[in-house]
Amino acid sequence: MAFAQSTGTGPRSGGTYGESAPSEQPYSPSSWELAFVQDCNLRCGYCSTGWGRFGQGAAVMQPNVWKRLAELILRMSDGQPRVHIGFATGETFLFFDEAMAFLDHLRGLAAAKQMELDVQIITNGTLVTEGHLQICLEKKIALCFSIDGPSTKHDRFRKSADGAPTHRRALENWRRYRNMVRSVPNGPGCDIYSVLAGNSRLRDVARYWRRLGAKRFKALPAEPNKTLCRIDSCGWQSRRDHFLSDIAALALSESTRLRGRPLTQEAVVPAALMDIWRRLDRGEPYSPCGAGYQTIGVDAAGCLFPCQNFVGFPDRGIGDVRSGVDAAPLAAFRAARSLAASRCHGCWARFLCADGCCASDPKSGVVLDAWGECAFFQSFAEIGIRTYQGWRDHQGLPGRTAAL
């Protein structure tokens, strides 16, 4: 279980992890990311987690584990006024009743400490029933539906275990929940996440969601899958180039269309672009991702990790729900993270970046920029800054990008 024993191989690696002293900051997570169900009913062609199983057997968190987890959340996050609980990795709706039993138990304990819970489930949307949606609405659970745009793109990769298409069912449930949350005051979120795989283009996905009235959606090109030994660097570079070309055209179109109007309120763009525009508008830089500080990941067996992207790699564990966080591996992780991030100090884009994903190559330890993410984000940030500044100049307002 040693971050200190790994040797990162990427261009920004924590190396042997002995050169930098770890932070003494208390570990008080405001975000708990749970692999409550490590299984999935789909067999997506680009899946990076082996259907949520990470090469192991299917698993679901048992009551003796989630009761300990609830106690740990209350103990570690004590003092946090609002705590995010995320259900991701596998398909939670395979064991929806079990997940709701855990959530009800946790909320009962949290209420006694006046701790509010912000809950989200990421789902492929194919197993959801109207009854499930009603329960989610009543419990104010935000849902993020994984739908890759038009059916011709979605169904090429997102198939059921027997090879059947899944787009129609997922889209129906997204539409249904969107209507439900709109019918109540302060309804929970109903989001979309699209992966651009194969020959899928952002321009087509953006046009599709605009036509369906989705003002905001998440979209990223499918990443290389070193974890499962499927590396297609040429394909990744091509998808990335197409993404940047499409985001540049979309950003220019929206920033031009909305001259003289509130850009960050009315633009119909991917969430990542909107995040940059909003940061520029407020003159507020990003904060680090929070892995090992504000974020913690938990697998179905109750093992703890600095974030959810290390789940599936036992050597990256930092404890378990029974004994809590082990100080030694946490300190080793923090030292490695600090060392890797120190190499970002000369980068102009650091003011808009969350220091990169330190789990881009979890087998090798704490590694930033394993797949050229830094160059990709710099290009992306340049597009955001250029189009935001063009919109702002037209407003006759003083620029803020110089301050960044």
Side-chain angles (χ1 to χ4, degrees):
M1 179 188 335
F3 280 96
Q5 291 175 0
S6 12
T7 54
T9 57
R12 284 179 172 79
S13 163
T16 56
Y17 311 138
E19 298 90 337
S20 178
S23 167
E24 298 297 327
Q25 179 180 333
Y27 200 176
S28 180
S30 58
S31 180
W32 292 75
E33 301 295 339
L34 315 181
F36 192 91
V37 177
Q38 290 184 216
D39 194 12
C40 188
N41 60 311
L42 301 194
R43 297 296 181 264
C44 300
Y46 53 72
C47 180
S48 62
T49 66
W51 314 312
R53 301 177 185 178
F54 299 99
Q56 304 171 7
V60 59
M61 192 176 291
Q62 298 300 310
N64 64 314
V65 176
W66 56 248
K67 288 179 181 177
R68 291 288 187 93
L69 172 59
E71 294 171 359
L72 186 65
I73 291 173
L74 269 290
R75 185 166 67 252
M76 288 185 64
S77 298
D78 187 28
Q80 296 282 1
R82 194 171 190 87
V83 175
H84 171 78
I85 305 296
F87 293 85
T89 302
E91 179 49 53
T92 304
F93 284 90
L94 280 168
F95 294 92
F96 181 75
D97 291 343
E98 290 83 348
M100 292 304 100
F102 158 70
L103 185 57
D104 290 344
H105 177 72
L106 176 60
R107 276 186 162 152
L109 297 177
K113 288 201 171 188
Q114 298 183 321
M115 178 189 292
E116 293 188 32
L117 300 181
D118 172 26
V119 184
Q120 183 188 58
I121 299 175
I122 299 177
T123 176
N124 60 51
T126 62
L127 298 177
V128 182
T129 67
E130 289 191 48
H132 290 153
L133 294 179
Q134 186 60 43
I135 291 172
C136 289
L137 185 68
E138 293 170 357
K139 296 181 183 294
K140 292 190 176 298
I141 298 174
L143 297 183
C144 181
F145 291 82
S146 297
I147 305 174
D148 295 345
S151 60
T152 52
K153 306 299 182 183
H154 176 101
D155 286 334
R156 180 181 175 187
F157 292 95
R158 299 186 66 82
K159 300 178 183 297
S160 66
D162 61 1
T166 63
H167 184 270
R168 181 184 61 80
R169 177 66 175 166
L171 188 67
E172 285 177 353
N173 281 319
W174 169 72
R175 281 174 157 162
R176 184 175 291 120
Y177 200 54
R178 181 180 62 167
N179 292 336
M180 292 171 70
V181 300
R182 286 177 173 177
S183 69
V184 298
N186 302 314
C190 181
D191 302 321
I192 306 161
Y193 180 66
S194 296
V195 174
L196 307 173
N199 64 353
S200 182
R201 294 289 296 265
L202 176 63
R203 64 190 181 195
D204 301 323
V205 172
R207 190 179 301 118
Y208 177 80
W209 289 123
R210 181 193 290 268
R211 189 169 68 248
L212 292 184
K215 194 171 184 179
R216 205 84 65 242
F217 60 94
K218 299 176 183 179
L220 281 175
E223 299 180 357
N225 193 337
K226 188 172 182 180
T227 302
L228 301 183
C229 300
R230 295 203 303 267
I231 303 175
D232 178 12
S233 298
C234 292
W236 163 232
Q237 184 63 47
S238 176
R239 288 192 298 272
R240 181 168 64 180
D241 290 345
H242 287 154
F243 180 89
L244 291 172
S245 173
D246 290 349
I247 201 72
L250 181 58
L252 178 61
S253 174
E254 284 296 276
S255 60
T256 301
R257 179 178 72 86
L258 293 172
R259 286 177 177 174
R261 294 161 61 184
L263 179 69
T264 58
Q265 296 178 28
E266 297 185 20
V268 182
V269 294
L273 177 60
M274 180 57 72
D275 285 344
I276 286 183
W277 280 351
R278 284 176 173 165
R279 295 283 178 176
L280 293 170
D281 204 47
R282 296 192 298 258
E284 176 185 327
Y286 278 131
S287 57
C289 72
Y293 290 92
Q294 292 83 38
T295 301
I296 190 168
V298 189
D299 70 9
C303 297
L304 307 177
F305 300 86
C307 78
Q308 69 276 18
N309 292 321
F310 286 107
V311 170
F313 297 87
D315 288 347
R316 309 299 166 221
I318 56 171
D320 59 60
V321 298
R322 296 166 185 82
S323 55
V325 173
D326 188 331
L330 175 62
F333 168 79
R334 286 181 169 183
R337 181 73 173 88
S338 178
L339 179 60
S342 69
R343 307 184 188 186
C344 302
H345 291 171
C347 177
W348 64 267
R350 69 189 185 279
F351 297 109
L352 290 171
C353 176
D355 284 346
C357 177
C358 61
S360 58
D361 184 6
K363 279 188 176 180
S364 298
V366 176
V367 181
L368 304 180
D369 200 24
W371 302 106
E373 297 98 326
C374 291
F376 175 62
F377 181 80
Q378 288 170 350
S379 298
F380 184 78
E382 286 177 353
I383 292 168
I385 292 171
R386 183 172 63 249
T387 51
Y388 174 82
Q389 192 66 53
W391 169 85
R392 191 172 181 82
D393 288 346
H394 194 273
Q395 310 297 98
L397 300 172
R400 284 180 176 160
T401 51
L404 292 172

